[in-house]
Amino acid sequence: MQEALYDVVIVGGGMVGGTLAVSLGKAGLRVAVIERQLPEPFDHSQSHDLRVSALSVASELILRDLGVWNGVLARRACPYRRLKTWEQSEQLAATEFDAADIDGHDHLGHIVENRVLQLALLDQLRELSSVDLYISSDYELDFAPGSSVIRLTNGKTLVGSLVVAADGGESKVRQLVGIGTHKWDYEQQALVASVEVAGEQQDITWQQFRSAGPLAFLPLSGACASLVWYDSPEKVKALAALDDKAFIAAVEREFPVVLPKITKVNGKGFFPLRRQHAQDYGKPGVVLVGDAAHMIHPLAGQGVNIGLLDAAELADVILTCHRQGVLLESEALVTRYEKRRRRHNLMMMTVMDMFYRTFSNDLAPIKLIRNIGLGVAGRLGPAKRQVMRFALGLDGWGVGGADKKQL
């Protein structure tokens, strides 16, 4: 049987794997992308999907550079200019961040449906002659640095110098090549609801902290929003089982009064929360990106953003090695990539853990500290600007030697 030969085989054609594929394909490398199934085509009359992401300005810049962002905007995305946080019943500690406080920025990010971004990436992939997309429900992998063989369920056989695992937190590739993880489940789960609200499209995303878990509002295009309710697994499952009328009543009881009136529930679902970090980001012949390498608490919506940074940094490392004649299956490639990304990702995971533990209890000393912290961040210029840079995704940016001062 004839084998198709590739420089890089990417397992997982979602947001992170797709971004990496476009980056490498535009540079002319031979790339194969394996995805389980194509996303449903987009239509403006459709309700918003449950799965949405808060894409930072840094992520937007990566996607703009690849020619992907226009495909996102042509479908739909909601920019947000302001971000607000506060403690339940502690309005004095409320802190609002505005893009206007940082020169040159008119927004902090965009709320985008995951499917919309994946479709925009697929638009670009289909225009690249050096990239082949394979739809396969499963595969077999015979891993060998420099000549890994992937056999698809449709009978096709691919051979890649480098295999990239972009196949999520339960990565099959990671397990097959024997890379372990450090992981634990949080005591909370997250319920997500896509709703329609009274009034106009909003430009603010906010989060109210409670000991049981935060309540969050993410604006979507039009008079729509995504609500996130963090709570115990038992409470979340009970909420998910409610009919729409009872669910709206529960939201109105628990969410702050600033929540717009809900007029319709388009869908809801829930998922567990886990921290997970791969013991290594790869080995000769294979590398991990996105959730295959790390999963963090979604408290600040940074999971997808650091995954896109992974993809951009890995693309730069691969292309640099290719130009320098360094074999793509070499240990040097893995070392360069891990050195660029592991420390930053670990820092983000640690910060999210600190937020989770600090805001998930009612101990009086901790409440005092966190309220002081919110107040300081909102009133002191340097602290506020640093939080803003965090929200914009500018810290940790180093793609292709990019100068942060330009962002």
Side-chain angles (χ1 to χ4, degrees):
M1 183 177 295
Q2 187 174 5
E3 299 173 338
L5 305 179
Y6 296 95
D7 297 310
V8 181
V9 176
I10 302 171
V11 181
M15 296 181 288
V16 175
T19 298
L20 177 62
V22 174
S23 299
L24 299 178
K26 283 182 176 289
L29 267 66
R30 286 283 293 152
V31 178
V33 180
I34 303 171
E35 174 65 348
R36 284 183 173 274
Q37 62 182 19
L38 290 174
E40 180 186 355
F42 176 81
D43 187 282
H44 285 278
S45 65
Q46 295 169 334
S47 299
H48 290 80
D49 295 341
L50 279 177
R51 298 176 62 199
V52 303
S53 296
L55 297 182
S56 67
V57 169
S59 292
E60 177 187 334
L61 290 171
I62 291 170
L63 297 169
R64 282 187 183 278
D65 187 57
L66 296 176
V68 174
W69 192 245
N70 284 340
V72 172
L73 298 182
R75 292 174 172 90
R76 62 188 175 200
C78 180
Y80 60 94
R81 180 174 59 85
R82 297 175 294 146
L83 183 156
K84 188 173 182 178
T85 62
W86 70 92
E87 175 96 12
Q88 186 177 23
S89 74
E90 296 284 352
Q91 292 293 328
L92 291 178
T95 304
E96 184 172 314
F97 305 93
D98 195 313
D101 295 334
I102 294 185
D103 293 339
H105 294 281
D106 60 3
H107 62 278
L108 297 175
H110 286 75
I111 309 298
V112 178
E113 293 156 85
N114 294 2
R115 177 172 60 105
V116 163
L117 176 52
Q118 187 180 11
L119 287 168
L121 287 162
L122 289 171
D123 289 345
Q124 289 292 312
L125 288 178
R126 292 188 177 104
E127 295 181 4
L128 298 172
S129 60
S130 64
V131 178
D132 293 326
L133 175 64
Y134 296 93
I135 306 302
S136 181
S137 60
D138 203 359
Y139 61 89
E140 294 180 356
L141 170 64
D142 292 333
F143 175 65
S147 58
S148 290
V149 178
I150 300 95
R151 297 181 179 86
L152 308 182
T153 52
N154 62 9
K156 293 184 178 179
T157 300
L158 319 179
V159 179
S161 298
L162 177 69
V163 176
V164 177
D167 51 344
E170 301 298 326
S171 172
K172 179 178 176 178
V173 173
R174 187 189 65 227
Q175 296 175 46
L176 288 175
V177 301
I179 297 177
T181 62
H182 300 289
K183 62 184 178 182
W184 66 77
D185 292 331
Y186 292 101
E187 296 176 359
Q188 297 172 350
Q189 291 190 358
L191 179 140
V192 179
S194 179
V195 301
E196 296 178 19
V197 297
E200 300 177 347
Q201 178 174 313
Q202 298 209 19
D203 70 347
I204 187 170
T205 179
W206 51 254
Q207 199 157 179
Q208 181 190 53
F209 293 106
R210 311 171 305 148
S211 59
L215 303 172
F217 171 90
L218 288 70
L220 297 175
S221 57
C224 296
S226 177
L227 306 182
V228 188
W229 186 329
Y230 299 89
D231 218 306
S232 68
E234 296 77 20
K235 178 66 176 252
V236 165
K237 290 176 183 177
L239 290 168
L242 295 176
D243 62 32
D244 289 353
K245 183 177 180 180
F247 177 71
I248 291 174
V251 169
E252 290 176 342
R253 285 194 303 270
E254 295 291 335
F255 271 64
V257 294
V258 296
L259 179 72
K261 181 176 177 57
I262 300 173
T263 58
K264 184 180 179 182
V265 177
N266 290 322
K268 59 181 185 292
F270 63 94
F271 54 91
L273 306 177
R274 170 180 294 176
R275 168 178 167 146
Q276 180 171 283
H277 207 188
Q279 294 172 357
D280 299 290
Y281 277 18
K283 57 171 58 175
V286 63
V287 288
L288 315 180
V289 293
D291 283 357
H294 46 74
M295 297 176 68
I296 70 173
H297 197 290
L299 194 63
Q302 293 301 308
V304 171
N305 293 309
I306 64 175
L308 294 180
L309 283 171
D310 285 350
E313 292 280 16
L314 179 57
D316 186 64
V317 169
I318 289 173
L319 295 175
T320 299
C321 287
H322 186 66
R323 288 193 300 269
Q324 295 175 346
V326 177
L327 295 177
L328 300 187
E329 65 268 25
S330 68
E331 186 173 357
L333 183 148
V334 178
T335 300
R336 292 183 191 183
Y337 166 62
E338 183 153 0
K339 184 177 180 180
R340 288 195 187 188
R341 293 303 302 151
R342 189 176 190 90
R343 182 178 178 183
H344 175 254
N345 292 340
L346 183 59
M347 179 195 71
M348 292 290 292
M349 297 172 78
T350 302
V351 169
M352 291 304 100
D353 279 349
M354 290 173 59
F355 269 92
Y356 166 73
R357 299 184 189 284
T358 300
F359 286 95
S360 296
N361 64 73
D362 279 326
L363 295 176
I366 299 298
K367 288 186 68 174
L368 177 61
I369 290 171
R370 67 196 184 206
N371 285 331
I372 291 174
L374 286 174
V376 168
R379 291 171 176 79
L380 294 184
K384 191 168 187 175
R385 283 192 294 272
Q386 185 58 40
V387 173
M388 295 282 283
R389 289 184 63 82
F390 175 84
L392 292 165
L394 302 187
D395 285 332
W397 174 274
V399 180
D403 185 351
K404 292 182 183 181
K405 294 179 181 179
Q406 298 176 2
L407 306 181

